[in-house]
Amino acid sequence: MPDKTMTADEAVSRLRDGMTVGIGGWGSRRKPMALIRALLRSCVTGLTVVSYGGPDVGMLAAAGRIRRLVAPFATLDSIPLEPHFRAARERGELDLMEVDEAMLLWGLRAAANRLPFLPVRAGLGSDVMRVNPGLRTVTSPYDDGETFVAMPALRLDAALVHVNRADRRGNGQYLGPDPYFDDLFCEAADTAYVSCERIVDTAELPKGGPPQSLLVKRHRVTGVIEAPGGAHFTSCAPDYGRDEEFQRTYATTPWPEFAARYLGGDEQTYRAAVGRRP
């Protein structure tokens, strides 16, 4: 089996302007922040981002890298609305396809199964259809005749996710309370880049958790990046919780000042600036 290890910068070097990029995690939980920081160091722009949004969306939006966002929310969890996303949206700097959480899930499932759409009840009776006039409905061909939203497939050019452990072949394992659909992001994408807290031998993976924790399969993964603390400042349970103090700093600091103070160098510079060791 090939060794798929690479650095975050090497992974991001494979992305191109205008791509559709899916970002795993949920809100301010287990986001692939080392990969996001590498993306911010690059010149890649004009992205369509698909995400259960958190600071990944906020940072990319503040830096002007997002052309279109597909998301049900953008939150820091303990801070309900992602402030840098909000500011960019209020300035009209990105287009937004706002959908229900289940609609996003079904869009990823459709893409993972190479289907053009999947029917879903979520969205009916809400303003989702009004704010997304391109959405269509379908009628069941069976006796029930029920109407559903036809959620289009969210096919991704690339996926970025973070897990607790992985091997060099691309098998990824989460050890926290929730998978956050990271496997679907990888399955919906043409290429997938998985950062992890620690790379281990393949034989070590089943010793760390049950079979269902082996979430990401190697045949869906293009690159593996060892990034201890790579989800900071979001949580990566059970390895570490969310850095609430630093998250407050992020949320209350104007973007140019924050970017200059913490994002002006490589990952080692970032760790030194936030006082964090792997």
Side-chain angles (χ1 to χ4, degrees):
M1 293 292 178
D3 185 328
K4 299 180 181 178
T5 55
M6 60 180 64
T7 67
D9 290 323
E10 287 171 338
V12 166
S13 72
R14 301 183 178 205
L15 304 183
R16 297 291 179 265
D17 291 354
M19 277 187 165
T20 297
V21 177
I23 304 175
W26 180 285
S28 194
R29 307 175 212 179
R30 215 177 67 230
K31 285 290 181 176
M33 297 307 293
L35 290 171
I36 298 302
R37 290 189 287 271
L39 184 52
L40 290 168
R41 290 193 296 270
S42 78
C43 295
V44 176
T45 191
L47 298 173
T48 293
V49 171
V50 179
S51 176
Y52 289 98
D56 54 326
V57 165
M59 288 186 177
L60 292 173
R65 305 301 182 90
I66 301 178
R67 177 182 62 83
R68 181 172 182 259
L69 174 66
V70 182
F73 52 73
T75 179
L76 299 178
D77 292 321
S78 58
I79 300 172
L81 183 59
E82 219 291 347
H84 295 293
F85 156 75
R86 176 178 182 171
R89 178 64 177 161
E90 289 178 343
R91 291 192 298 265
E93 295 177 350
L94 56 89
D95 294 329
L96 175 63
M97 181 181 181
E98 185 177 7
V99 294
D100 179 90
E101 295 169 13
M103 294 173 72
L104 189 78
L105 169 60
W106 246 240
L108 292 173
R109 287 196 186 280
N113 287 282
R114 303 307 187 256
L115 296 171
F117 72 92
L118 278 174
V120 58
R121 289 190 177 90
L124 293 172
S126 75
D127 277 344
V128 166
M129 303 300 289
R130 180 183 62 81
V131 300
N132 295 290
L135 287 176
R136 299 290 182 264
T137 59
V138 293
T139 302
S140 169
Y142 299 104
D143 291 342
D144 59 276
E146 189 172 352
T147 298
F148 300 93
V149 175
M151 180 62 198
L154 296 174
R155 189 68 184 267
L156 311 173
D157 294 306
L160 309 177
V161 306
H162 186 78
V163 295
N164 299 88
R165 306 197 307 172
D167 66 13
R168 294 178 179 275
R169 301 173 179 177
N171 297 298
Q173 182 178 47
Y174 80 100
L175 300 176
D178 200 310
Y180 305 132
F181 309 119
D182 285 358
D183 53 333
L184 284 179
F185 278 97
C186 293
E187 291 170 12
D190 294 335
T191 58
Y193 302 94
V194 179
S195 60
C196 64
E197 293 297 313
R198 186 161 61 98
I199 289 178
V200 300
D201 291 335
T202 304
E204 291 298 312
L205 291 173
K207 299 177 183 178
Q212 59 266 32
S213 69
L214 299 172
L215 180 69
V216 177
K217 308 302 188 294
R218 65 175 184 262
H219 68 283
R220 296 291 191 180
V221 173
T222 308
V224 178
I225 300 93
E226 187 172 53
H232 183 268
F233 50 93
T234 73
S235 62
C236 187
D239 292 302
Y240 48 86
R242 185 164 52 243
D243 188 338
E244 295 287 1
E245 181 179 356
F246 188 79
Q247 179 166 274
R248 285 192 295 273
T249 297
Y250 164 75
T252 56
T253 304
W255 173 253
E257 180 183 342
F258 180 87
R261 186 187 305 175
Y262 296 107
L263 304 177
D266 59 13
E267 194 68 7
Q268 185 175 358
T269 303
Y270 171 80
R271 293 175 187 278
V274 302
R276 180 182 179 85
R277 297 181 178 180

